Amino acid sequence: MTLIRKPGTAWGDVFARCRETAPEAFADDRVRNYWGGRWRADGDPVPATSPVDGTSIAGPPRLTAATATGAVRATADAHRRWSTVPLPERRARVTATLDALAAHRDLLALLLVWEIGKPWRLATTDVDRCIEGVRWYVEEIDSMLASRSPLPGPISNISSWNYPMSVIMHSVLVQVLAGNAVVAKAPTDGGVSCLTLAVALAARHDLPITLVSGGGAELSPVLVDSPEIACVFFVGGRSAGSQVAAGLLNSSKRHVLEQEGLNCWGVWEFSDWDGLAANVRRSFEYAKQRCTAYPRYVVQRSLFDQFLAAYLPAVRGVRFGHPLAVEPGQDGFPDLDFGPLIKDTKAKELTDAIDAAIAKGGIPLHRGSLDDGRFLPDQDRSAYLAPVAILAPPPSSPLFHAEPFGPVDTIVLVDTEAELLAGMNASNGALVASLACDDEATAQRLGGELRAFKVGINRPRSRGDRQEVFGGRGASWRGDFVGGALLVHAVTEGPPGERRYGNFPTHAHYPEV
């Protein structure tokens, strides 16, 4: 049966709803930035297309460094005012914002579908996690702020495009609740309209949130180095994160720098293959475009045949395609594991890396076809990549040592525990890791040797919500850890001599997770 786009979900329809909902933030076919208490049409909009099917969508205005500097100074003025607002009033305004976000939840989710290609289920989860997570902080904030005060200046947020609501907006709202003004840089590659709508709803309740957009090379120095900024939150890759870290090298500014790592799943003395197969399928959600994805399996050689018998049917069952493609008359949205990658250039980059790895000796265990996906007739499919699995990628390949950020698995075989640990610690630190192992004592012993912040035993680990602490080891994280009270402690001043948890240049404090 020929598929059609779900009625009422065309980009033009979605953007028209944005203009109707927040006309102050959406003008004609462009979005505005917000600083100094008003929406501004500064900067030249960057042409943008949706990864879903190449449709032209609103791109981020490209501000100059001078304009961004003015926005930071205006945020510092707002910080001086907001830091004196009593907590009950801050709580009431944040709660009103959360109610507004909940009222427009489906529109925010549709923007995520079009801008970053998330299937409907994952898009709504992103919005819901933001709302529900911040509500938890609203309820728990009193004890977290005991004997604490806001930072002396505003907080800067520079984050990647993949989680505009549950990472960027969530952090921003908790920072504001704790008494800080904030400036957020809209991601360049996607999510600008979703974040703009969320900030517009917050601005109506007088929350001190500044929204700017533009190239990282021009704006990041302003958002990191400006003397007004007291704290920097960064979520992204190691290359960009290292540049941010370099700007903080001789600074005493607070910082939370969440960076990528090669998260690995080790398989050792194991037999629950049905359980592993279910986790393999789930691991492909959002095409592994998240910081806690598992793109590497390190497998005991003697178990490889059993691993393969469980792995291949699972990866062949992954469903992907156009997130809005439905059968005529179908209710709801398609149930997909992933849609497109963030850009067609990313799909090409990964395809080239796959071809090069195989040409140099990597063994293609599975290479899916776009013909297996759900697509509209004759749609642009250039940003899509079917699942791929490669055994023994060559050490010269980027797939050997770096996170692919796409639906690509690599598998390495080992014979000893020492090889297992070396294979799982290949990237000098990771956010998460997991071990598939029947014996709990063996798994705990091996897990203690892994350079990952969270280690799962026969289950995946995630970033976590609410009270769960999150951080990284090695090069995957720099600065304060977050989650629960630690997120609030990272953005407030505590008593003199306070010991903070994090991964710092000269030491690291790792709380129990």
Side-chain angles (χ1 to χ4, degrees):
M1 179 178 293
T2 301
L3 301 177
I4 63 171
R5 185 177 55 239
K6 184 174 177 62
T9 63
W11 171 256
D13 298 332
V14 174
F15 200 76
R17 289 171 61 184
C18 291
R19 289 198 299 265
E20 180 181 351
T21 302
E24 68 274 23
F26 297 86
D28 300 322
D29 60 349
R30 68 167 290 168
V31 298
R32 293 172 172 170
N33 284 171
Y34 184 76
W35 57 277
R38 60 189 181 89
W39 291 94
R40 303 167 188 261
D42 298 327
D44 296 323
V46 177
T49 57
S50 169
V52 168
D53 60 8
T55 296
S56 294
I57 62 175
R62 187 173 290 273
L63 300 188
T64 64
T67 301
T69 298
V72 167
R73 290 171 179 167
T75 309
D77 292 338
H79 182 84
R80 284 187 283 273
R81 296 189 296 270
W82 182 253
S83 62
T84 64
V85 172
L87 177 58
E89 184 176 345
R90 300 199 307 264
R91 179 190 285 113
R93 293 191 192 181
V94 170
T95 298
T97 297
L98 295 174
D99 292 341
L101 294 175
H104 295 284
R105 176 251 204 180
D106 286 2
L107 178 54
L108 291 162
L110 275 173
L111 289 169
L112 293 180
V113 173
W114 275 109
E115 292 192 286
I116 61 176
K118 282 197 172 182
W120 178 253
R121 173 175 55 86
L122 301 181
T124 53
T125 297
D126 192 11
V127 180
D128 292 343
R129 283 183 61 191
C130 171
I131 297 169
E132 294 165 6
V134 179
R135 286 198 194 281
W136 181 84
Y137 276 94
V138 167
E139 296 171 358
E140 302 291 334
I141 192 66
D142 291 271
S143 60
M144 295 180 185
L145 285 179
S147 303
R148 308 190 71 84
S149 59
L151 294 178
I155 300 170
S156 175
N157 292 265
I158 306 169
S159 294
S160 56
W161 43 266
N162 51 347
Y163 287 93
M165 293 299 296
S166 63
V167 172
I168 303 177
M169 199 64 191
H170 178 279
S171 294
V172 161
L173 289 175
V174 175
Q175 293 162 11
V176 166
L177 180 64
N180 304 284
V182 301
V183 53
K185 178 186 174 297
T188 302
D189 288 338
V192 61
S193 292
C194 177
L195 195 57
T196 299
L197 178 58
V199 171
L201 298 173
R204 291 177 178 179
H205 299 286
D206 296 322
L207 295 188
I209 301 174
T210 289
L211 179 65
V212 296
S213 59
E218 184 154 23
L219 295 197
S220 289
V222 176
L223 300 180
V224 174
D225 299 338
S226 293
E228 295 87 353
I229 297 296
C231 179
V232 177
F233 267 61
F234 170 86
V235 179
R238 290 193 182 182
S239 177
S242 295
Q243 296 176 26
V244 172
L248 295 168
L249 188 61
N250 297 315
S251 167
S252 60
K253 291 180 182 179
R254 297 278 183 95
H255 56 280
V256 176
L257 309 184
E258 177 186 331
Q259 300 171 106
E260 64 185 332
L262 185 61
N263 307 316
C264 296
W265 199 299
V267 180
W268 188 262
E269 298 177 354
F270 179 71
S271 62
D272 181 15
W273 301 111
D274 289 342
L276 181 66
N279 285 317
V280 168
R281 168 74 183 269
R282 283 193 294 269
S283 76
F284 278 90
E285 285 190 347
Y286 196 34
K288 297 182 182 274
Q289 295 178 108
R290 61 184 190 275
C291 64
T292 54
Y294 286 84
R296 167 68 52 81
Y297 291 87
V298 183
V299 182
Q300 188 174 6
R301 191 183 306 273
S302 61
L303 298 178
F304 181 55
D305 58 336
Q306 298 174 74
F307 169 84
L308 209 57
Y311 177 87
L312 288 178
V315 73
R316 288 170 182 152
V318 170
R319 291 169 58 87
F320 64 94
H322 192 304
L324 302 173
V326 298
E327 298 175 3
Q330 176 183 336
D331 291 332
F333 291 81
D335 182 18
L336 301 177
D337 296 298
F338 66 86
L341 302 190
I342 187 59
K343 284 182 175 296
D344 56 357
T345 53
K346 177 62 178 179
K348 184 180 186 306
E349 171 195 317
L350 268 182
T351 299
D352 291 345
I354 292 163
D355 291 341
I358 293 172
K360 294 178 180 179
I363 302 168
L365 295 178
H366 174 77
R367 194 161 191 179
S369 168
L370 291 187
D371 292 338
D372 298 327
R374 290 170 52 91
F375 296 105
L376 301 179
D378 302 320
Q379 76 160 82
D380 183 338
R381 305 190 303 183
S382 59
Y384 292 82
L385 181 67
V388 174
I390 299 175
L391 174 66
S396 61
S397 169
L399 298 178
F400 183 84
H401 56 77
E403 183 180 19
F405 231 62
V408 181
D409 279 344
T410 56
I411 299 164
V412 175
L413 302 183
V414 296
D415 296 297
T416 67
E417 290 185 356
E419 290 177 301
L420 176 80
L421 294 172
M424 295 185 70
N425 289 330
S427 67
N428 184 27
L431 303 174
V432 297
S434 287
L435 282 164
C437 182
D438 290 344
D439 183 68
E440 177 78 16
T442 299
Q444 293 290 349
R445 175 173 55 79
L446 294 173
E449 299 296 321
L450 295 178
R451 297 261 301 157
F453 184 73
K454 292 182 178 181
V455 177
I457 307 301
N458 298 320
R459 67 185 179 98
R461 297 305 307 266
S462 67
R463 201 175 196 277
D465 288 308
R466 303 170 187 176
Q467 72 267 29
E468 190 173 355
V469 175
F470 190 58
R473 298 201 178 190
S476 69
W477 195 283
R478 299 171 190 265
D480 290 78
F481 294 151
V482 296
L486 292 190
L487 173 55
V488 173
H489 292 179
V491 298
T492 53
E493 297 280 13
E498 176 186 49
R499 179 185 182 187
R500 304 202 317 275
Y501 287 101
N503 195 354
F504 302 104
T506 57
H507 65 281
H509 297 309
Y510 296 111
E512 291 295 325
V513 294

